[in-house]
């Protein structure tokens, strides 16, 4: 295991040099939009996720950590704040937060979220999984988990035709084949089966889900450490990028992340040692890359696709998986800048402006 | 999958009839000890776990849900209450709670817990992993995760010689080979590697850890459902046996458990349907039995053991795993009654009384 990890480490860094990846840092809440704006009322694109509210306007954007499972009742107020801050009454909305266990069913979740949006904005358009913009929720099931539809539909409108769209966020990864039309299944359950939804991301995923064992010891299924701890330890993200709660409520320093990682094998930093903890982190990272590259290879083959569009805060990891899979990787951040981090919200902004 | 599940279901129920398992219900807090007791001061055996405080006295016992990761600061007070309630100043203590992420390291955890015990009781004996009763913590590492040592040492003193001791609790399962002496490794990390510690139990384990996929859909690594939801759904435990927090803070009824289970594949009860959710629960149960029987078979073979001593609130599942592994199963509940549910605490009580 150590041999494998270290060879991979050096392989990775040399690859990095070749690729010259621009790994763009992100902040917990970033609002680079100007304080003074022109008179005409602009729209917003909003992606209401289970852990984050993502807001895109033509002048800037923000990602607000908003864990729906405990904050749902504050949603309407939060959306009102957003409407006021951007002085806009028009929004295009996609969501995945309906899966949060605050709701009894996803249909209940969709309706709850839609109601909050309608109260906060005068004019709201929701996107269904068929790609239709609608002012009313006719069938709630059709509006669940539609954020990847927004991204793909927007890219199609930008005249891209054949590509594999991969979006890795804090919690989940969408892998959507597009051949002039969206080829993915419509529900999360079906997408899970087809590998079009991998339920892992670069921040919130429990480490024991991505790495089954370390040095022959199965990782413990306690909420001890998450992928944010992995990527702070590997140096792929910075302390300030760790934009969700820590499992133990403690800090986000590299040492604190390593302490959490050691605990996943019922050990601690003193017993396991820093070097071993770093190895554990690298193995977790590579387990994610391996899984992702496998699906990228498989989907590219089935649909005859050559190009991967990579976006989300996990863009850096998708690029490494493409390298592994031998696929051409185009970074959405190079095409649309920081909007890559909240691409479905940006896509909704553009779709609402254009339609 | 469904065929496998249903054949297994009927196989299980026929086996049940043959075995005539006495599945004993347990309550969240049970205090069947008499209100009036004799004059001589009796001892207590206490097992301080990560999720529960287990207290055994000669007159009765209790299991108190006490999640250490958020209650640690209240430990001393809780132990004082216990000392007062049982009017005793003497206690034998084993622990596993030092792994809770309230503590920076396990050594810190052991010392914190020992200090609380010393303040609450006049006379405390701690058991180290070598089986020594000590009044002081000389080397903290030696006192971490020693509860299974108490059980095995007590059984050896009861003149049992060659056996596999299996204790399944709410969170973890110990599988300890004994051949006139304890053969297991001394640390949790080593025991994980050797399969002597399986980090799953009948209440608190996230379902996605025991069951990787259902109908080809990988289960989501969110804290959506736990094994308590599985066993309420299969009917193996009752609603009132669900003695830990629910993942969503909602109720413990069978319907609520099934709702949580459906969410593990990004679905809900309405989409998946009751029959499929029951299948999911059975597959999770059988995944645990398969894993456990595999280890029982392997360890029995290596050490030439014929008898398994099964205890803990998961006794019923160990019995099924023994049936699967072709091993003879002796239920601790048939030998020591309800103390089976907190056998390390009972063992400490007996060890402290005898030494």
């Amino acid at each position: 295991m150590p041999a494998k990890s270290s060879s991979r480490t050096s392989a990775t860094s040399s690859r990095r040099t070749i690729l010259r990846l621009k790994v763009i840092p992100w902040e917990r809440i970033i609002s680079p939009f100007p304080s003074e704006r022109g008179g005409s009322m602009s729209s917003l694109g909003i992606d209401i996720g289970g852990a984050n509210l993502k807001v895109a306007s033509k002048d800037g954007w923000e990602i607000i950590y908003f864990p729906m499972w405990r904050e749902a009742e504050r949603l309407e107020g939060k959306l009102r704040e957003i409407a006021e801050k951007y002085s806009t009454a028009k929004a295009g909305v996609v969501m995945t937060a309906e899966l949060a266990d605050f709701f009894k069913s996803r249909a209940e979740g969709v309706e709850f979220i839609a109601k909050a949006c309608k109260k906060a904005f005068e004019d709201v358009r929701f996107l269904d999984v068929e790609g239709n913009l609608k002012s009313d929720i006719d069938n709630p099931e059709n509006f669940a988990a539609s954020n990847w539809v927004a991204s793909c539909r927007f890219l199609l409108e930008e005249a891209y035709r054949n590509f594999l769209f991969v979006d890795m966020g804090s919690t989940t990864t969408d892998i959507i084949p597009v051949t002039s039309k969206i080829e993915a299944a419509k529900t999360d359950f079906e997408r899970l089966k087809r590998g079009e939804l991998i339920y892992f991301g670069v921040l919130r995923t429990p480490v024991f889900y991505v790495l089954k064992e370390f040095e022959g010891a199965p990782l413990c299924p306690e909420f001890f450490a998450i992928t944010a701890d992995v990527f702070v330890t590997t140096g792929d993200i910075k302390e300030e990028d760790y934009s969700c709660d820590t499992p133990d409520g403690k800090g986000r320093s590299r040492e604190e992340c390593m302490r959490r990682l050691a605990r996943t094998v019922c050990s601690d930093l003193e017993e396991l040692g820093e070097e071993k903890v770093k190895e554990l982190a690298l193995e977790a990272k590579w387990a994610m890359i391996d899984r992702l590259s496998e699906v990228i290879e498989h989907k590219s083959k089935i649909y005859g696709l050559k190009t991967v569009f990579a976006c989300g805060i996990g863009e850096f990891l998708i690029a490494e998986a493409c390298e592994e899979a031998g696929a051409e990787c185009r970074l959405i951040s190079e095409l649309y800048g920081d909007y890559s981090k909240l691409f479905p919200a940006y896509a909704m902004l553009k779709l609402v402006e254009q339609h």
Side-chain angles (χ1 to χ4, degrees), chain A:
Chain A
M1 287 291 194
K4 178 175 147 196
S5 302
S6 54
S7 72
R8 277 180 157 177
T9 322
S10 55
T12 309
S13 48
S14 69
R15 264 195 228 124
R16 279 251 173 76
T17 324
I18 298 160
L19 268 176
R20 287 175 204 223
L21 282 186
K22 285 199 294 185
V23 178
I24 299 169
W26 65 95
E27 281 76 51
R28 192 139 24 146
I29 297 175
I30 299 176
S31 306
F33 62 92
S35 54
E36 308 249 341
R37 285 197 307 279
S40 78
M41 202 180 72
S42 63
S43 304
L44 288 181
I46 306 181
D47 179 6
I48 302 179
N52 294 288
L53 293 176
K54 295 162 195 171
V55 184
S57 86
K58 69 178 172 52
D59 306 305
W61 56 273
E62 48 185 332
I63 296 176
I64 304 160
Y65 181 59
F66 191 85
M68 194 64 64
W69 57 93
R70 62 168 193 249
E71 305 276 3
E73 272 159 351
R74 289 183 47 230
L75 179 63
E76 190 190 318
K78 194 75 204 168
L79 291 172
R80 276 185 201 279
E81 264 177 45
I82 290 167
E84 202 168 308
K85 178 172 177 184
Y86 290 81
S87 4
T88 181
K90 187 176 178 184
V93 171
V94 279
M95 61 182 94
T96 54
E98 70 285 344
L99 188 65
D101 59 17
F102 177 84
F103 309 114
K104 201 171 154 188
S105 64
R106 290 168 309 133
E108 184 188 294
V110 168
E111 281 174 342
F112 180 99
I113 294 161
K115 201 172 157 190
C117 292
K118 285 184 166 189
K119 285 193 173 175
F121 296 94
E122 271 169 42
D123 184 359
V124 200
R125 303 291 157 86
F126 302 99
L127 191 76
D128 71 14
V129 285
E130 304 294 339
N132 304 306
L133 285 169
K134 294 192 172 176
S135 300
D136 287 301
I137 300 291
D138 38 18
N139 179 356
E141 290 294 325
N142 289 350
F143 294 83
S146 60
N147 61 353
W148 51 275
V149 181
S151 305
C152 293
R153 191 179 150 186
F154 170 67
L155 287 172
L156 281 166
E157 296 203 356
E158 294 275 277
Y160 296 110
R161 281 291 163 264
N162 295 289
F163 57 89
L164 192 63
F165 173 75
V166 185
D167 183 351
M168 181 180 276
S170 64
T171 312
T172 56
T173 304
D174 297 307
I175 301 147
I176 313 294
V178 178
T179 61
S180 298
K181 67 180 202 299
I182 296 172
E183 301 279 2
K186 296 289 183 281
T187 68
D188 277 351
F189 184 38
E190 291 302 319
R191 290 199 304 124
L192 279 172
K193 289 184 196 177
R194 293 163 58 146
E196 292 159 358
L197 167 60
I198 305 182
Y199 211 103
F200 65 38
V202 288
L203 297 181
R204 289 188 54 252
T205 307
V207 180
F208 70 89
Y209 180 74
V210 298
L211 184 67
K212 302 306 172 200
E213 56 175 56
F214 178 67
E215 300 206 327
L219 271 71
C220 302
E222 293 278 9
F223 189 56
F224 279 152
I226 53 181
T227 42
D229 297 308
V230 167
F231 294 114
V232 168
T233 300
T234 59
D236 285 299
I237 69 171
K238 296 203 187 74
E239 197 179 321
E240 58 268 27
D241 303 328
Y242 194 137
S243 60
C244 58
D245 295 328
T246 59
D248 56 1
K250 299 205 172 88
R252 294 170 172 79
S253 71
R254 193 139 181 264
E255 193 197 305
E256 285 163 301
C257 292
M258 287 198 288
R259 286 202 177 279
R260 284 188 285 270
L261 289 176
R263 191 168 267 120
T264 61
V265 284
C266 293
S267 190
D268 47 45
L269 196 49
E270 285 69 20
E271 182 185 358
L272 208 54
E274 279 204 18
E275 286 313 307
K276 290 270 182 208
V277 173
K278 284 181 206 164
E279 262 173 41
L280 191 157
L282 276 174
E283 287 192 20
K285 175 184 172 175
W286 273 100
M288 291 177 77
I289 292 175
D290 284 348
R291 172 82 186 113
L292 191 53
S293 73
E294 213 176 79
V295 178
I296 289 174
E297 215 176 323
H298 181 68
K299 292 284 173 193
S300 299
K301 207 168 165 185
I302 291 180
Y303 294 98
L305 303 171
K306 292 203 175 62
T307 308
V308 170
F309 279 106
C311 77
I313 57 175
E315 221 186 44
F316 71 93
L317 211 67
I318 303 168
E320 294 199 46
C322 286
E323 186 72 10
E324 194 77 359
E328 187 210 351
C329 184
R330 297 193 66 177
L331 303 182
I332 290 285
S333 62
E334 290 187 348
L335 297 165
Y336 301 95
D338 271 5
Y339 286 117
S340 172
K341 294 166 193 169
L342 66 165
F343 199 55
Y346 178 70
M348 281 310 288
L349 167 69
K350 302 304 270 185
L351 291 174
V352 163
E353 273 177 355
Q354 288 157 18
H355 296 274

Short mmCIF file of all heavy atoms in Angstrom, two decimals, chain A residues 33 37 42-45 55-61 86 339 346 349 353:
data_model
loop_
_atom_site.label_atom_id
_atom_site.label_comp_id
_atom_site.label_asym_id
_atom_site.label_seq_id
_atom_site.Cartn_x
_atom_site.Cartn_y
_atom_site.Cartn_z
N PHE A 33 -19.44 40.86 -6.29
CA PHE A 33 -20.22 41.73 -7.18
C PHE A 33 -20.12 43.18 -6.69
O PHE A 33 -19.99 43.45 -5.50
CB PHE A 33 -21.67 41.28 -7.28
CG PHE A 33 -22.41 41.31 -5.99
CD1 PHE A 33 -23.13 42.44 -5.62
CD2 PHE A 33 -22.40 40.21 -5.14
CE1 PHE A 33 -23.82 42.45 -4.43
CE2 PHE A 33 -23.09 40.24 -3.94
CZ PHE A 33 -23.80 41.36 -3.58
N ARG A 37 -24.77 48.97 -8.85
CA ARG A 37 -25.06 48.28 -10.10
C ARG A 37 -25.98 49.13 -10.96
O ARG A 37 -26.63 50.07 -10.49
CB ARG A 37 -25.71 46.94 -9.83
CG ARG A 37 -24.72 45.89 -9.34
CD ARG A 37 -25.29 44.50 -9.49
NE ARG A 37 -26.60 44.38 -8.85
CZ ARG A 37 -26.77 44.19 -7.56
NH1 ARG A 37 -25.73 44.12 -6.76
NH2 ARG A 37 -27.98 44.07 -7.06
N SER A 42 -31.82 42.76 -12.72
CA SER A 42 -31.24 41.54 -13.27
C SER A 42 -31.86 40.31 -12.61
O SER A 42 -32.53 40.41 -11.59
CB SER A 42 -29.74 41.55 -13.04
OG SER A 42 -29.47 41.55 -11.66
N SER A 43 -31.59 39.17 -13.20
CA SER A 43 -32.12 37.92 -12.65
C SER A 43 -31.09 37.24 -11.77
O SER A 43 -29.92 37.63 -11.73
CB SER A 43 -32.47 36.96 -13.80
OG SER A 43 -33.37 37.58 -14.68
N LEU A 44 -31.54 36.20 -11.07
CA LEU A 44 -30.64 35.35 -10.30
C LEU A 44 -30.84 33.90 -10.74
O LEU A 44 -31.94 33.51 -11.13
CB LEU A 44 -30.97 35.41 -8.80
CG LEU A 44 -30.64 36.69 -8.03
CD1 LEU A 44 -31.03 36.50 -6.56
CD2 LEU A 44 -29.17 37.05 -8.16
N GLY A 45 -29.76 33.13 -10.67
CA GLY A 45 -29.87 31.68 -10.80
C GLY A 45 -29.59 31.10 -9.44
O GLY A 45 -28.62 31.50 -8.79
N VAL A 55 -25.88 30.92 -5.41
CA VAL A 55 -26.56 32.04 -6.05
C VAL A 55 -25.66 32.66 -7.11
O VAL A 55 -24.52 33.04 -6.81
CB VAL A 55 -26.90 33.13 -5.01
CG1 VAL A 55 -27.71 34.25 -5.64
CG2 VAL A 55 -27.66 32.52 -3.82
N ALA A 56 -26.15 32.74 -8.34
CA ALA A 56 -25.38 33.37 -9.42
C ALA A 56 -26.15 34.56 -9.97
O ALA A 56 -27.33 34.46 -10.25
CB ALA A 56 -25.12 32.37 -10.54
N SER A 57 -25.44 35.71 -10.07
CA SER A 57 -26.03 36.85 -10.77
C SER A 57 -25.01 37.26 -11.82
O SER A 57 -23.88 36.76 -11.82
CB SER A 57 -26.29 38.01 -9.80
OG SER A 57 -25.12 38.79 -9.65
N LYS A 58 -25.40 38.17 -12.72
CA LYS A 58 -24.43 38.54 -13.76
C LYS A 58 -23.24 39.28 -13.16
O LYS A 58 -22.18 39.34 -13.75
CB LYS A 58 -25.09 39.32 -14.90
CG LYS A 58 -25.57 40.71 -14.54
CD LYS A 58 -26.16 41.36 -15.80
CE LYS A 58 -26.83 42.69 -15.50
NZ LYS A 58 -26.03 43.66 -14.74
N ASP A 59 -23.41 39.81 -11.95
CA ASP A 59 -22.33 40.60 -11.34
C ASP A 59 -21.50 39.83 -10.31
O ASP A 59 -20.53 40.35 -9.78
CB ASP A 59 -22.92 41.83 -10.64
CG ASP A 59 -23.79 42.63 -11.58
OD1 ASP A 59 -23.27 42.99 -12.65
OD2 ASP A 59 -24.97 42.85 -11.27
N GLY A 60 -21.91 38.61 -9.98
CA GLY A 60 -21.15 37.88 -8.98
C GLY A 60 -21.91 36.68 -8.49
O GLY A 60 -22.94 36.32 -9.07
N TRP A 61 -21.43 36.12 -7.44
CA TRP A 61 -22.03 34.86 -6.98
C TRP A 61 -21.67 34.62 -5.53
O TRP A 61 -20.77 35.23 -4.97
CB TRP A 61 -21.52 33.70 -7.83
CG TRP A 61 -20.03 33.60 -7.85
CD1 TRP A 61 -19.18 34.24 -8.69
CD2 TRP A 61 -19.21 32.85 -6.97
NE1 TRP A 61 -17.88 33.94 -8.41
CE2 TRP A 61 -17.87 33.08 -7.36
CE3 TRP A 61 -19.47 31.97 -5.91
CZ2 TRP A 61 -16.79 32.47 -6.69
CZ3 TRP A 61 -18.40 31.37 -5.25
CH2 TRP A 61 -17.07 31.63 -5.66
N TYR A 86 -29.60 41.36 -3.73
CA TYR A 86 -29.34 41.52 -5.16
C TYR A 86 -30.39 42.41 -5.82
O TYR A 86 -30.44 42.51 -7.04
CB TYR A 86 -29.31 40.15 -5.84
CG TYR A 86 -28.10 39.31 -5.48
CD1 TYR A 86 -28.07 38.58 -4.30
CD2 TYR A 86 -26.98 39.27 -6.32
CE1 TYR A 86 -26.97 37.81 -3.96
CE2 TYR A 86 -25.88 38.51 -6.00
CZ TYR A 86 -25.88 37.78 -4.82
OH TYR A 86 -24.79 37.03 -4.49
N TYR A 339 -17.64 30.73 -11.96
CA TYR A 339 -18.99 30.18 -12.01
C TYR A 339 -18.97 28.65 -12.07
O TYR A 339 -19.99 28.00 -11.84
CB TYR A 339 -19.77 30.75 -13.20
CG TYR A 339 -20.21 32.19 -13.02
CD1 TYR A 339 -19.74 33.19 -13.87
CD2 TYR A 339 -21.11 32.54 -12.01
CE1 TYR A 339 -20.14 34.51 -13.72
CE2 TYR A 339 -21.52 33.85 -11.86
CZ TYR A 339 -21.03 34.84 -12.71
OH TYR A 339 -21.44 36.14 -12.55
N TYR A 346 -25.45 29.19 -12.30
CA TYR A 346 -25.09 30.06 -13.43
C TYR A 346 -25.91 29.71 -14.66
O TYR A 346 -26.43 30.58 -15.35
CB TYR A 346 -23.59 29.91 -13.73
CG TYR A 346 -23.12 30.74 -14.89
CD1 TYR A 346 -23.05 32.13 -14.81
CD2 TYR A 346 -22.74 30.12 -16.09
CE1 TYR A 346 -22.61 32.89 -15.89
CE2 TYR A 346 -22.30 30.88 -17.18
CZ TYR A 346 -22.24 32.25 -17.07
OH TYR A 346 -21.80 33.01 -18.13
N LEU A 349 -29.31 31.07 -14.33
CA LEU A 349 -29.28 32.52 -14.58
C LEU A 349 -29.36 32.78 -16.09
O LEU A 349 -30.18 33.58 -16.55
CB LEU A 349 -27.98 33.09 -13.99
CG LEU A 349 -27.60 34.51 -14.41
CD1 LEU A 349 -28.57 35.52 -13.79
CD2 LEU A 349 -26.16 34.84 -13.98
N GLU A 353 -32.52 34.32 -18.25
CA GLU A 353 -32.30 35.56 -19.02
C GLU A 353 -32.68 35.39 -20.47
O GLU A 353 -33.19 36.30 -21.10
CB GLU A 353 -30.82 35.96 -18.94
CG GLU A 353 -30.48 36.82 -17.73
CD GLU A 353 -28.98 37.13 -17.66
OE1 GLU A 353 -28.21 36.61 -18.49
OE2 GLU A 353 -28.60 37.90 -16.75
#
